[in-house]
Amino acid sequence: MMKKYFIASAVALGVASFTNVAQAGEFDQVQRQIGIVENILSTALKQDLERQSVQVSSTYLADQGVLYRIRLDNHFVFVTEFDDMPLPPLPPEAVITADSVTMNDGHMEFVNGEVVGTESKEIIIELEDIREQSEQMRASAEQQRELRHRLRELNREQREVRIQSKLQDDNKDLTEQLQKIEREIVKLREEKDTLDAKNKMLVKEVKVKRLKQKEKQQQEQQEQLQKALTSVARSLCDYGVGMRDISDEQFVNVQFSQARNQHMAVFKKSDINRCVSGKLDHKKLLSKAKQYAL
């Protein structure tokens, strides 16, 4: 009886080992298939987006399908902190501090040193223009601080001289000193008003340019995303048949990353197979995909 038990156990272990080996072999096979499509997607995106490199990676999701991750910001310039730069309307006595217009390399993210395309170069020129104006605002802020400090000193001197003048009636020297202080106060206040007006104009110009640049960047990102979506849909129609071990009930998920934004497109494998067979074109395949922002 014991001998039969050992034989049965050995057979069971052998079957289990064979199943594990078979599953491992199937996993390697599907990984190879999705890896080939990954290379195809990368090559197609480089060509369609006119880029020297595109980051594409893949992950097999057991019983679900495959996830492709595509980064679209390799050679793109993105402004990361302009939204945080406070540019409120200035009341008459408000002063712009240097901290409120800090714009250094930490406020601008160059994902890659290479810049591709005329539009991206134009963005850099616009950002440099904004940077220069911000430097002017910083210089004006420093001047304003010096003016406020000098005005406080003059106001204090003015009070002291007035007190002395009351104690010493008709003191000619004190009267002249008081007049001199008052003239300097008037002059400094005029300078301060001029700086306030200049800063208001700079704030307005920088705000308008920042919003304009942001709108242009968003438009370029959207155009880039649509090109990438079309490229992926065409590639899946042409070469999706290579993922033979992804069943019709499973999905091909494609995640696009652009700076802080992420976009997901989910294709049914059955729709991809229909596109491969000519029953759908890539535009119809794309329209049938479920798309949403993450």
Side-chain angles (χ1 to χ4, degrees), residues 21-50:
V21 171
Q23 289 177 345
E26 291 173 1
F27 179 77
D28 290 342
Q29 181 64 16
V30 73
Q31 282 289 97
R32 180 177 182 277
Q33 293 171 10
I34 67 176
I36 291 173
V37 175
E38 174 187 320
N39 293 332
I40 291 172
L41 291 176
S42 177
T43 301
L45 285 164
K46 290 176 190 176
Q47 178 177 337
D48 295 336
L49 299 180
E50 299 180 351

Short mmCIF file of all heavy atoms in Angstrom, two decimals, residues 21-50:
data_model
loop_
_atom_site.label_atom_id
_atom_site.label_comp_id
_atom_site.label_asym_id
_atom_site.label_seq_id
_atom_site.Cartn_x
_atom_site.Cartn_y
_atom_site.Cartn_z
N VAL A 21 6.73 23.99 -16.01
CA VAL A 21 7.63 24.19 -17.14
C VAL A 21 6.85 24.70 -18.34
O VAL A 21 7.28 25.63 -19.06
CB VAL A 21 8.37 22.89 -17.49
CG1 VAL A 21 9.13 23.05 -18.80
CG2 VAL A 21 9.34 22.51 -16.36
N ALA A 22 5.66 24.13 -18.56
CA ALA A 22 4.84 24.56 -19.69
C ALA A 22 4.41 26.01 -19.52
O ALA A 22 4.45 26.81 -20.47
CB ALA A 22 3.61 23.65 -19.82
N GLN A 23 4.00 26.39 -18.29
CA GLN A 23 3.57 27.76 -18.04
C GLN A 23 4.73 28.73 -18.23
O GLN A 23 4.57 29.82 -18.79
CB GLN A 23 3.00 27.87 -16.63
CG GLN A 23 1.65 27.17 -16.47
CD GLN A 23 1.15 27.24 -15.03
OE1 GLN A 23 1.91 27.56 -14.13
NE2 GLN A 23 -0.12 26.95 -14.83
N ALA A 24 5.91 28.33 -17.77
CA ALA A 24 7.09 29.18 -17.94
C ALA A 24 7.41 29.36 -19.41
O ALA A 24 7.75 30.46 -19.86
CB ALA A 24 8.28 28.58 -17.20
N GLY A 25 7.27 28.27 -20.18
CA GLY A 25 7.52 28.36 -21.62
C GLY A 25 6.52 29.26 -22.30
O GLY A 25 6.87 30.05 -23.19
N GLU A 26 5.25 29.17 -21.91
CA GLU A 26 4.22 30.03 -22.49
C GLU A 26 4.47 31.49 -22.14
O GLU A 26 4.29 32.39 -22.96
CB GLU A 26 2.84 29.59 -21.98
CG GLU A 26 2.39 28.22 -22.51
CD GLU A 26 1.10 27.77 -21.85
OE1 GLU A 26 0.57 28.53 -21.01
OE2 GLU A 26 0.63 26.66 -22.16
N PHE A 27 4.91 31.73 -20.90
CA PHE A 27 5.20 33.10 -20.47
C PHE A 27 6.36 33.68 -21.29
O PHE A 27 6.30 34.83 -21.73
CB PHE A 27 5.56 33.10 -18.99
CG PHE A 27 5.91 34.47 -18.46
CD1 PHE A 27 4.92 35.41 -18.19
CD2 PHE A 27 7.23 34.82 -18.24
CE1 PHE A 27 5.24 36.66 -17.70
CE2 PHE A 27 7.57 36.07 -17.76
CZ PHE A 27 6.57 36.99 -17.49
N ASP A 28 7.41 32.90 -21.49
CA ASP A 28 8.53 33.36 -22.30
C ASP A 28 8.08 33.67 -23.73
O ASP A 28 8.54 34.65 -24.33
CB ASP A 28 9.62 32.30 -22.33
CG ASP A 28 10.31 32.15 -20.97
OD1 ASP A 28 10.19 33.07 -20.15
OD2 ASP A 28 10.95 31.09 -20.75
N GLN A 29 7.17 32.85 -24.24
CA GLN A 29 6.70 33.04 -25.60
C GLN A 29 5.92 34.35 -25.75
O GLN A 29 6.15 35.13 -26.68
CB GLN A 29 5.82 31.85 -26.03
CG GLN A 29 5.27 31.94 -27.44
CD GLN A 29 6.37 31.88 -28.50
OE1 GLN A 29 7.51 31.50 -28.22
NE2 GLN A 29 6.03 32.30 -29.72
N VAL A 30 5.00 34.58 -24.81
CA VAL A 30 4.20 35.80 -24.90
C VAL A 30 5.07 37.03 -24.66
O VAL A 30 4.86 38.09 -25.27
CB VAL A 30 3.00 35.75 -23.92
CG1 VAL A 30 3.44 35.93 -22.48
CG2 VAL A 30 1.97 36.83 -24.28
N GLN A 31 6.07 36.90 -23.76
CA GLN A 31 7.00 38.01 -23.53
C GLN A 31 7.76 38.33 -24.80
O GLN A 31 8.00 39.50 -25.12
CB GLN A 31 7.98 37.65 -22.41
CG GLN A 31 7.41 37.75 -21.01
CD GLN A 31 7.17 39.18 -20.58
OE1 GLN A 31 6.06 39.71 -20.67
NE2 GLN A 31 8.22 39.84 -20.14
N ARG A 32 8.15 37.31 -25.53
CA ARG A 32 8.86 37.52 -26.79
C ARG A 32 7.96 38.23 -27.80
O ARG A 32 8.40 39.15 -28.50
CB ARG A 32 9.33 36.17 -27.35
CG ARG A 32 10.09 36.27 -28.66
CD ARG A 32 10.59 34.92 -29.12
NE ARG A 32 11.36 35.03 -30.34
CZ ARG A 32 10.82 35.08 -31.56
NH1 ARG A 32 9.50 35.00 -31.71
NH2 ARG A 32 11.60 35.19 -32.64
N GLN A 33 6.71 37.82 -27.86
CA GLN A 33 5.76 38.42 -28.81
C GLN A 33 5.54 39.90 -28.51
O GLN A 33 5.60 40.74 -29.41
CB GLN A 33 4.44 37.66 -28.77
CG GLN A 33 4.52 36.23 -29.29
CD GLN A 33 3.25 35.45 -29.04
OE1 GLN A 33 2.23 36.02 -28.65
NE2 GLN A 33 3.31 34.15 -29.26
N ILE A 34 5.26 40.20 -27.25
CA ILE A 34 4.99 41.61 -26.92
C ILE A 34 6.28 42.44 -27.00
O ILE A 34 6.22 43.64 -27.28
CB ILE A 34 4.33 41.76 -25.54
CG1 ILE A 34 5.28 41.35 -24.41
CG2 ILE A 34 3.04 40.97 -25.47
CD1 ILE A 34 4.70 41.56 -23.03
N GLY A 35 7.44 41.80 -26.80
CA GLY A 35 8.70 42.51 -26.95
C GLY A 35 8.96 42.91 -28.39
O GLY A 35 9.47 44.01 -28.66
N ILE A 36 8.60 42.02 -29.32
CA ILE A 36 8.76 42.34 -30.75
C ILE A 36 7.86 43.52 -31.13
O ILE A 36 8.28 44.45 -31.82
CB ILE A 36 8.45 41.10 -31.61
CG1 ILE A 36 9.53 40.04 -31.40
CG2 ILE A 36 8.33 41.48 -33.08
CD1 ILE A 36 9.23 38.71 -32.07
N VAL A 37 6.61 43.48 -30.67
CA VAL A 37 5.68 44.59 -30.96
C VAL A 37 6.18 45.87 -30.30
O VAL A 37 6.03 46.97 -30.85
CB VAL A 37 4.26 44.23 -30.49
CG1 VAL A 37 3.32 45.41 -30.68
CG2 VAL A 37 3.74 43.02 -31.26
N GLU A 38 6.79 45.75 -29.12
CA GLU A 38 7.35 46.93 -28.45
C GLU A 38 8.40 47.60 -29.34
O GLU A 38 8.41 48.83 -29.49
CB GLU A 38 7.98 46.50 -27.12
CG GLU A 38 8.74 47.60 -26.40
CD GLU A 38 9.48 47.07 -25.18
OE1 GLU A 38 8.92 46.22 -24.46
OE2 GLU A 38 10.63 47.52 -24.95
N ASN A 39 9.28 46.80 -29.94
CA ASN A 39 10.29 47.35 -30.84
C ASN A 39 9.66 47.99 -32.07
O ASN A 39 10.13 49.03 -32.55
CB ASN A 39 11.27 46.26 -31.25
CG ASN A 39 12.12 45.77 -30.09
OD1 ASN A 39 12.38 46.51 -29.15
ND2 ASN A 39 12.54 44.51 -30.16
N ILE A 40 8.60 47.37 -32.55
CA ILE A 40 7.90 47.92 -33.73
C ILE A 40 7.28 49.27 -33.38
O ILE A 40 7.37 50.24 -34.15
CB ILE A 40 6.82 46.93 -34.22
CG1 ILE A 40 7.49 45.68 -34.81
CG2 ILE A 40 5.90 47.59 -35.23
CD1 ILE A 40 6.53 44.57 -35.15
N LEU A 41 6.62 49.34 -32.22
CA LEU A 41 6.01 50.60 -31.79
C LEU A 41 7.07 51.69 -31.66
O LEU A 41 6.86 52.84 -32.08
CB LEU A 41 5.28 50.42 -30.47
CG LEU A 41 4.02 49.55 -30.47
CD1 LEU A 41 3.48 49.39 -29.06
CD2 LEU A 41 2.95 50.16 -31.37
N SER A 42 8.21 51.36 -31.07
CA SER A 42 9.28 52.33 -30.89
C SER A 42 9.77 52.86 -32.23
O SER A 42 9.93 54.07 -32.42
CB SER A 42 10.43 51.69 -30.11
OG SER A 42 11.50 52.58 -29.98
N THR A 43 10.01 51.95 -33.17
CA THR A 43 10.50 52.35 -34.49
C THR A 43 9.48 53.23 -35.21
O THR A 43 9.83 54.26 -35.80
CB THR A 43 10.81 51.11 -35.34
OG1 THR A 43 11.80 50.31 -34.67
CG2 THR A 43 11.32 51.51 -36.72
N ALA A 44 8.20 52.83 -35.16
CA ALA A 44 7.15 53.59 -35.84
C ALA A 44 6.99 54.98 -35.23
O ALA A 44 6.83 55.98 -35.95
CB ALA A 44 5.83 52.82 -35.76
N LEU A 45 7.05 55.07 -33.90
CA LEU A 45 6.89 56.37 -33.23
C LEU A 45 8.05 57.30 -33.56
O LEU A 45 7.85 58.51 -33.77
CB LEU A 45 6.78 56.17 -31.72
CG LEU A 45 5.43 55.62 -31.23
CD1 LEU A 45 5.55 55.11 -29.80
CD2 LEU A 45 4.35 56.70 -31.32
N LYS A 46 9.26 56.77 -33.63
CA LYS A 46 10.41 57.59 -34.00
C LYS A 46 10.20 58.21 -35.38
O LYS A 46 10.49 59.38 -35.61
CB LYS A 46 11.69 56.75 -34.01
CG LYS A 46 12.17 56.31 -32.64
CD LYS A 46 13.37 55.40 -32.78
CE LYS A 46 13.74 54.75 -31.47
NZ LYS A 46 14.86 53.79 -31.61
N GLN A 47 9.69 57.39 -36.29
CA GLN A 47 9.48 57.86 -37.66
C GLN A 47 8.32 58.84 -37.74
O GLN A 47 8.43 59.91 -38.34
CB GLN A 47 9.23 56.67 -38.59
CG GLN A 47 8.97 57.07 -40.04
CD GLN A 47 8.79 55.86 -40.93
OE1 GLN A 47 9.26 54.77 -40.60
NE2 GLN A 47 8.12 56.04 -42.06
N ASP A 48 7.19 58.49 -37.13
CA ASP A 48 5.98 59.32 -37.25
C ASP A 48 6.08 60.62 -36.46
O ASP A 48 5.49 61.63 -36.85
CB ASP A 48 4.76 58.53 -36.78
CG ASP A 48 4.47 57.33 -37.68
OD1 ASP A 48 4.89 57.37 -38.86
OD2 ASP A 48 3.84 56.37 -37.21
N LEU A 49 6.82 60.60 -35.34
CA LEU A 49 6.98 61.82 -34.54
C LEU A 49 8.26 62.57 -34.89
O LEU A 49 8.53 63.63 -34.33
CB LEU A 49 7.00 61.47 -33.04
CG LEU A 49 5.74 60.81 -32.48
CD1 LEU A 49 5.91 60.54 -30.98
CD2 LEU A 49 4.51 61.68 -32.71
N GLU A 50 9.05 61.99 -35.83
CA GLU A 50 10.31 62.59 -36.26
C GLU A 50 11.22 62.83 -35.07
O GLU A 50 11.74 63.92 -34.83
CB GLU A 50 10.05 63.90 -37.01
CG GLU A 50 9.22 63.71 -38.27
CD GLU A 50 8.98 65.01 -39.00
OE1 GLU A 50 9.30 66.08 -38.42
OE2 GLU A 50 8.48 64.99 -40.13
#
